[in-house]
């Protein structure tokens, strides 16, 4: 069977859910008053990078799941007429483009998660935002940045192709060292005829290495059949006492729903902790036309000194 083209597959979802209700404890004290999702990677908030990825894969709407007091995340996607007028009057066209970019990328709505009951609960909070005709939805965890190897389209586009071919739900997997399985959802898989696609036989949240079915972990990209919301209503608290998205996916698998993973071989950054965030910032800055050359030169000198 031949794969459908990206443009056919891009119709797989219109809405991307971004859970962003956490306290950002690993970034305290910065996150006392600034949501983690607005911390800048060079000059762009992580949430805008994630929105760009969703839009490129065909989404036209972001549903940001926030705590009641975190509305500034969605505000980033509103236009700022006064600021824009000031920049325009001063002839700052480049900055004007940067300011307008987020609202032009995608429409952002919010869904409120009153209590931090887990990722599964956060995703369930966005169900009322979906249109009646939407039979699949993407979920992007803003802690994860998932970038394609050079010249490839993004992983969400590939995931849409896989849903078009195999049906059901499609997640993204990447290899982790065996001792790191307890930080991730981990897959039990079998091969398909596509080398970058595995069929998922089971999924377990944060297993100890001895209990992990493989080294293939969930990156924070999900293309979920709408049936997931029904499964989310039936799960019990799991790892960490939280309602886990992993457990809803595992329930769907157990009931015969097809679930596949696209094995991601490109870059992944973890913005969820300062160490991972720094690597992402340096990686982006090195590629930046304004800051890259200077940073490369300084880093070289600095590393020689240490
Ligand atoms: C979440 C998911 C986990 C996934 C991870 C990817 O965990 O529950 O299955 O592997 O994101 O970053 P968290 O990092 O929120 O603990």
């Amino acid at each position: 069977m031949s794969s459908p083209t990206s443009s056919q597959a891009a119709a797989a979802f219109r809405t991307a859910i971004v859970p962003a209700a956490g306290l950002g404890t690993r970034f305290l004290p910065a996150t006392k008053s600034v949501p983690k999702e607005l911390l800048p990677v060079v000059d762009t908030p992580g949430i805008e990078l994630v929105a760009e990825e969703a839009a490129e894969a065909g989404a036209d709407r972001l549903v940001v799941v926030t705590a009641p007091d975190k509305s500034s995340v969605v505000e980033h996607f509103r236009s700022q007429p006064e600021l824009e007028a000031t920049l325009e009057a001063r002839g700052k066209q480049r900055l004007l483009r940067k300011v307008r970019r987020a609202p032009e990328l995608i429409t952002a709505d919010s869904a409120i998660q009153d209590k931090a009951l887990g990722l599964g609960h956060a995703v369930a909070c966005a169900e009322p935002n979906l249109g009646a005709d939407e039979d699949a939805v993407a979920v992007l965890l803003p802690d994860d940045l998932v970038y394609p190897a050079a010249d490839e389209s993004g992983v969400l586009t590939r995931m849409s192709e896989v849903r078009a071919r195999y049906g059901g739900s499609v997640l993204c997997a990447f290899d982790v060292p065996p001792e790191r399985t307890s930080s991730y959802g981990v897959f039990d898989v079998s091969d398909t005829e596509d080398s970058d696609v595995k069929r998922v036989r089971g999924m377990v949240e944060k297993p100890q290495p001895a209990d992990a079915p493989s080294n293939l972990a969930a990156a924070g990209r999900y293309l979920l059949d709408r049936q997931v919301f029904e499964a989310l209503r039936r799960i019990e608290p799991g790892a960490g006492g939280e309602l886990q998205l992993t457990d809803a996916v595992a329930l769907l698998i157990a009931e015969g729903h097809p679930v596949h993973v696209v094995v991601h071989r490109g870059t992944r950054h973890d913005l969820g902790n300062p160490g991972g965030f720094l690597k992402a910032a340096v990686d982006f800055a090195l590629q930046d036309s304004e800051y890259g050359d200077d940073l490369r030169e300084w880093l070289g000198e600095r590393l020689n000194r240490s």
Side-chain angles (χ1 to χ4, degrees):
M1 188 174 9
S2 64
S3 297
T5 64
S6 299
S7 57
Q8 280 174 305
F13 65 95
R14 298 204 313 266
T15 300
I17 300 172
V18 181
L23 293 175
T25 49
R26 282 176 291 184
F27 276 97
L28 287 169
T31 45
K32 278 172 73 181
S33 59
V34 179
K36 177 178 64 172
E37 296 77 14
L38 292 181
L39 297 178
V41 181
V42 188
D43 58 6
T44 304
I47 189 84
E48 185 174 322
L49 299 173
V50 167
E52 180 184 20
E53 184 191 338
E56 278 177 1
D60 56 24
R61 197 163 58 126
L62 213 58
V63 178
V64 183
V65 183
T66 66
D69 55 351
K70 276 184 74 181
S71 59
S72 54
V73 179
V74 178
E75 285 300 311
H76 183 69
F77 293 90
R78 308 270 181 261
S79 58
Q80 298 271 339
E82 280 183 29
L83 174 60
E84 290 174 29
T86 304
L87 293 172
E88 188 115 57
R90 294 183 185 171
K92 306 266 187 200
Q93 292 303 321
R94 192 162 162 270
L95 288 179
L96 194 57
R97 279 197 297 279
K98 287 190 181 194
V99 165
R100 285 182 173 156
R101 192 156 168 276
E104 281 172 4
L105 270 177
I106 205 157
T107 301
D109 296 328
S110 59
I112 302 297
Q113 185 185 23
D114 283 326
K115 292 194 191 113
L117 298 180
L119 177 58
H121 178 253
V123 171
C125 290
E127 185 184 10
N129 295 62
L130 296 190
D133 60 333
E134 292 183 83
D135 58 6
V137 66
V139 175
L140 286 81
L141 306 190
D143 280 356
D144 289 69
L145 292 183
V146 181
Y147 280 97
D151 298 332
E152 286 175 25
S153 57
V155 74
L156 277 173
T157 299
R158 180 69 183 130
M159 289 162 65
S160 290
E161 291 169 2
V162 172
R163 175 170 153 93
R165 173 163 186 178
Y166 294 98
S169 298
V170 185
L171 283 66
C172 174
F174 69 110
D175 277 313
V176 293
E179 67 276 11
R180 300 278 297 130
T181 56
S182 62
S183 299
Y184 299 101
V186 179
F187 300 108
D188 179 15
V189 298
S190 59
D191 288 340
T192 69
E193 59 191 60
D194 293 310
S195 62
D196 64 335
V197 179
K198 310 278 179 204
R199 186 176 179 100
V200 183
R201 294 187 296 219
M203 186 177 183
V204 43
E205 182 68 11
K206 302 195 168 71
Q208 289 306 313
D211 305 322
S214 75
N215 292 352
L216 278 181
R221 299 293 180 270
Y222 306 76
L223 175 51
L224 299 169
D225 190 278
R226 197 171 181 134
Q227 287 181 38
V228 74
F229 293 105
E230 200 268 318
L232 284 167
R233 282 189 277 278
R234 290 188 285 139
I235 57 169
E236 302 285 335
E242 297 189 333
L243 291 167
Q244 297 290 352
L245 183 57
T246 291
D247 292 341
V249 174
L251 182 58
L252 288 175
I253 296 167
E255 294 176 348
H257 178 91
V259 176
H260 291 80
V261 289
V262 169
V263 181
H264 176 64
R265 304 284 181 206
T267 304
R268 172 185 177 266
H269 284 301
D270 182 359
L271 299 184
N273 64 82
F277 199 98
L278 278 171
K279 288 179 195 161
V282 171
D283 196 11
F284 275 64
L286 285 171
Q287 298 167 60
D288 189 277
S289 59
E290 193 172 347
Y291 307 115
D293 291 344
D294 184 47
L295 178 65
R296 186 171 290 100
E297 194 182 320
W298 181 83
L299 272 179
E301 285 168 18
R302 179 65 187 81
L303 291 174
N304 276 338
R305 258 192 281 144
S306 63

